[in-house]
Amino acid sequence: TIDYLEGDVELTDVPVLVVLDSTRADTTRLSAASLRFLDSSGNLLAHEVEPLGDGGLAAWVKIPTLAAGSTPRITAYYGSDTATDAAQPAEVWSSSYAGVWHLTGDPTLGVPDSTGNGNNGTVTGGMTNTSRAAAQIGDGLLFDGVDDFVEIPNADSLDITGGTITLSAWIRMTNLQTGDNGVIIKSNGSQYNYQLGVELEQTGNFRVRTDIPVD
């Protein structure tokens, strides 16, 4: 049951995180291929799956509408030995999303974009499969703070269009920051178009410039 009682606006096409760990599901029967989500009317909902460390799964499920003051219910089904994978990541992350990177899996195989935009990344700095680390949702990547980063090729879908832009990232820092450290940056190599970062003493910063060309 999704508790949206405190919501004051209607939301559409909302990716909702559903965690199916050993406390909520029989992980001996749980598989990504067999997983399905249905709404209260029996309609199949688009979802994307991320593995969890205990054999469980985390799923991002696209909810078509969250009405103000509502408590919609969705149902998870799993356990079939003959089901084929029905995940639809690009459908979960609709046209409002320019890129979504979960940072799971072996980084040397690439960092896939879950949207349909194909903004897939590659890692630098000698990162290997040992650069993976337990994160808030499944695995994440462990960056050395020196030369490790994920590079995304320039694409029109990553340009600022319209009047709004949102950047978000989940990070854990092991040391106080001593300079201007970017978390998400679009730049031409020397000047940024936009940046979400952390400065001295963990102070967050967000900057946008619209007059810098990016090749």
Side-chain angles (χ1 to χ4, degrees), residues 16-30:
V16 172
L17 178 64
V18 177
V19 175
L20 297 174
D21 57 19
S22 58
T23 68
R24 297 183 175 93
D26 179 1
T27 55
T28 64
R29 297 283 294 156
L30 184 63

Side-chain angles (χ1 to χ4, degrees), residues 108-200:
T108 64
L109 301 178
V111 180
D113 171 20
S114 291
T115 75
N117 293 318
N119 292 316
N120 302 313
T122 55
V123 294
T124 68
M127 298 181 74
T128 68
N129 196 34
T130 60
S131 301
R132 298 166 64 182
Q136 188 71 22
I137 304 171
D139 283 346
L141 291 181
L142 181 64
F143 298 90
D144 64 7
V146 179
D147 58 359
D148 289 354
F149 61 90
V150 176
E151 184 172 22
I152 313 296
N154 185 38
D156 291 344
S157 59
L158 299 175
D159 291 340
I160 300 173
T161 58
T164 60
I165 182 174
T166 299
L167 303 177
S168 64
W170 288 28
I171 62 172
R172 177 179 180 268
M173 296 173 292
T174 57
N175 299 296
L176 288 176
Q177 303 305 297
T178 58
D180 185 7
N181 301 275
V183 177
I184 301 175
I185 303 172
K186 182 177 181 182
S187 76
N188 63 4
S190 61
Q191 301 182 81
Y192 59 84
N193 280 108
Y194 48 77
Q195 172 175 315
L196 174 67
V198 180
E199 292 194 76
L200 300 175

Side-chain angles (χ1 to χ4, degrees), residues 73-98:
R73 174 172 292 187
I74 62 175
T75 304
Y77 293 87
Y78 64 89
S80 170
D81 295 326
T82 59
T84 57
D85 196 341
Q88 298 175 286
E91 180 63 25
V92 174
W93 309 100
S94 64
S95 58
S96 297
Y97 292 86

